[in-house]
Amino acid sequence: VIFLYMDGGPSQVDTFDPKPLLAKENGKPFGMKMEATQFNNNGKTLASLWKFKNYGQAGIPISDLFPHVAKHADKLCVLRSMTSDFSEHTNGNYFLHTGFGQSGRPSMGAWTNYGLGSKNQNLPGFIVLNGGLIPPGGLDCFSSGFLPAAYQGSVFKYGNKPISNIARAERTPELQQNKLKLLRQLDQGVLSRLGQLDQIESAIANHELAFRMQAAVPELVDLKGESKSTKELYGLNEKFRNTATFGRNCLIARRLVERGVRFIELTCPGGSGDRWDQHNNLKDGHTKNSRSVDQGIGALLQDLEGRGLLDTTLLVWMGEFGRTPFAQGNNG
C-alpha cells in the first residue's frame, strides 16, 4: 500500500466531485441547513473555482487542478461517499488513520504490517516518507496502538540521510558486532528474569533492524541508478520546490515497493503555501497544493504500471476532510 496523505481539507467539490447545483446557487445565501462549523464564519454558497472535464473510458470527472493524474483516469476508483463526524483535524486524523477518533488505536499501516508481515528483513514494514508536514495528531497517527511496538511507522526524513544516527560510529564492523552482542545478552538477561516484555523485545528487534538498515537505507535513497527520463517524469528538477520534494518521495515509494515494504505513507511537503486547509484564499492554496502533488502521483501511476507493479500495489489518496458547500468568509 502507498498511502498518499493530503494534510488538511482537499476539497471534494473542487477535485473529483463536481456539483452543478453549486454553480447555479453560487454567491447566494446557502439554502439548506448549515451544520455547525469550527469557526462559524460562514459565508454564501461557493461553487468550484475550477472547470471539470470527463476523462478516460469511464468518463471520470476531474478538475483542472490535476492534469497529470487526469491522464490515468481509467486507473482510478473514485469514492464520493466518504464522511467524517469530526470538525477538528487531530481527531479527524486519528479517525482517518486508525478508524477511531481518539489516539491509542493501531494505524492502518501497523495493521497491514502486523497482518501480512514484511517481505524485506532489512527495512521496516511500515515507513512514513515525511515531506515536511507531520499530520495534526502527530506520531500517534502512525502508532502501533495495542499491537507490539515493532509494528509502528518508521518516519524517514526528506533527503539523503533519512534516518538519524544510521551510520556506523565504530571504527570496525567487529567492534559494532561486539556491542550488539553485548546488548542482546543484557536484554535477554532482563527477559529471562521478568518474562516477555514488548518494550524489551521490540528494542531488540529495532537494534537488529537498525544494523541491517545501515546498508539498505543508503542504497534506497541513492538515485544515481535512476534514468534521466524517470527523474524528469517525477519532476525532480522542477523549479517549484514542493513538486520536486513530493516527486522524489513518490519515486522513493516506488523503490520501497520494489523492495517489498508493505505500507508506505507520504506526507505533504512544507514550504510554499499551507496544507490543504484553506480557511481563506481557496484559489491560491489549492493551486499550490495540487501543483505540489499532481506530477508525482501521475508519475507513480505510470511508473508502477510500466514495471508491472500496479497490479499488486494499492494507492490510497485522501485527506481527513473535504469542504463545506458554502464559503468561510468570502473565499475560504
Side-chain angles (χ1 to χ4, degrees):
V1 179
I2 300 175
F3 176 33
L4 305 163
Y5 167 65
M6 301 292 105
D7 197 332
S11 166
Q12 76 283 14
V13 300
D14 294 296
T15 54
F16 296 96
D17 194 6
K19 300 292 187 184
L21 186 57
L22 283 186
K24 182 179 178 181
E25 299 290 324
N26 186 50
K28 299 179 182 178
F30 189 63
M32 300 170 65
K33 178 187 175 184
M34 280 189 172
E35 299 291 342
T37 59
Q38 186 176 3
F39 302 106
N40 292 321
N41 182 21
N42 298 346
K44 296 179 179 179
T45 304
L46 181 63
S48 177
L49 304 177
W50 291 272
K51 299 294 184 182
F52 280 80
K53 298 187 186 73
N54 295 334
Y55 292 90
Q57 294 182 7
I60 293 178
I62 300 174
S63 84
D64 292 342
L65 282 170
F66 301 114
H68 289 277
V69 172
K71 300 173 186 176
H72 305 279
D74 287 327
K75 301 183 182 74
L76 306 182
C77 172
V78 181
L79 302 181
R80 300 191 184 94
S81 57
M82 307 303 292
T83 62
S84 172
D85 292 329
F86 302 95
S87 62
E88 195 277 329
H89 290 283
T90 296
N91 300 108
N93 267 310
Y94 292 148
F95 182 63
L96 173 69
H97 283 83
T98 74
F100 191 68
Q102 297 177 359
S103 64
R105 298 293 181 94
S107 68
M108 54 180 149
W111 276 119
T112 304
N113 192 15
Y114 176 78
L116 297 179
S118 179
K119 296 169 68 176
N120 187 325
Q121 299 306 309
N122 298 327
L123 290 167
F126 173 19
I127 291 176
V128 179
L129 298 177
N130 182 21
L133 295 173
I134 292 292
L139 299 181
D140 281 354
C141 293
F142 320 130
S143 170
S144 58
F146 47 74
L147 297 176
Y151 296 105
Q152 68 187 357
S154 296
V155 181
F156 279 28
K157 296 177 293 186
Y158 179 78
N160 292 323
K161 295 182 179 179
I163 300 291
S164 299
N165 305 316
I166 194 66
R168 192 183 73 227
E170 293 78 16
R171 294 190 304 274
T172 66
E174 291 76 19
L175 182 58
Q176 184 184 27
Q177 289 282 18
N178 288 339
K179 285 187 175 184
L180 288 171
K181 182 179 179 182
L182 175 60
L183 275 174
R184 281 193 290 268
Q185 290 174 344
L186 293 171
D187 288 336
Q188 290 294 342
V190 173
L191 288 175
S192 65
R193 294 195 306 274
L194 302 180
Q196 287 188 324
L197 284 175
D198 174 44
Q199 296 93 325
I200 300 296
E201 292 176 336
S202 292
I204 294 172
N206 285 339
H207 287 146
E208 295 173 347
L209 177 58
F211 173 68
R212 298 192 297 271
M213 286 168 64
Q214 287 181 336
V217 170
E219 186 272 336
L220 167 72
V221 298
D222 185 353
L223 303 181
K224 292 178 183 176
E226 298 289 343
S227 67
K228 180 181 178 181
S229 60
T230 296
K231 294 176 182 177
E232 290 177 350
L233 177 69
Y234 281 93
L236 268 57
N237 298 317
E238 290 294 315
K239 292 182 180 179
F240 188 60
R241 174 186 156 193
N242 283 8
T243 302
T245 298
F246 195 79
R248 187 181 191 278
N249 277 350
C250 285
L251 177 53
I252 296 293
R254 187 219 80 203
R255 291 169 65 86
L256 285 168
V257 165
E258 288 178 312
R259 287 156 177 76
V261 174
R262 289 288 191 187
F263 196 102
I264 306 114
E265 177 167 349
L266 274 65
T267 71
C268 290
S272 305
D274 195 3
R275 298 145 42 219
W276 296 83
D277 191 23
Q278 276 67 68
H279 292 277
N280 54 58
N281 209 347
L282 173 66
K283 178 83 172 179
D284 181 68
H286 264 44
T287 297
K288 287 178 178 176
N289 283 311
S290 63
R291 187 179 176 190
S292 297
V293 305
D294 177 44
Q295 183 168 348
I297 298 174
L300 193 53
L301 286 164
Q302 179 177 328
D303 202 12
L304 287 171
E305 183 182 48
R307 295 169 185 268
L309 295 169
L310 197 56
D311 290 341
T312 55
T313 306
L314 181 66
L315 271 68
V316 182
W317 182 15
M318 59 180 169
E320 69 268 29
F321 295 136
R323 78 157 167 94
T324 58
F326 47 85
Q328 180 178 356
N330 294 320
N331 61 2

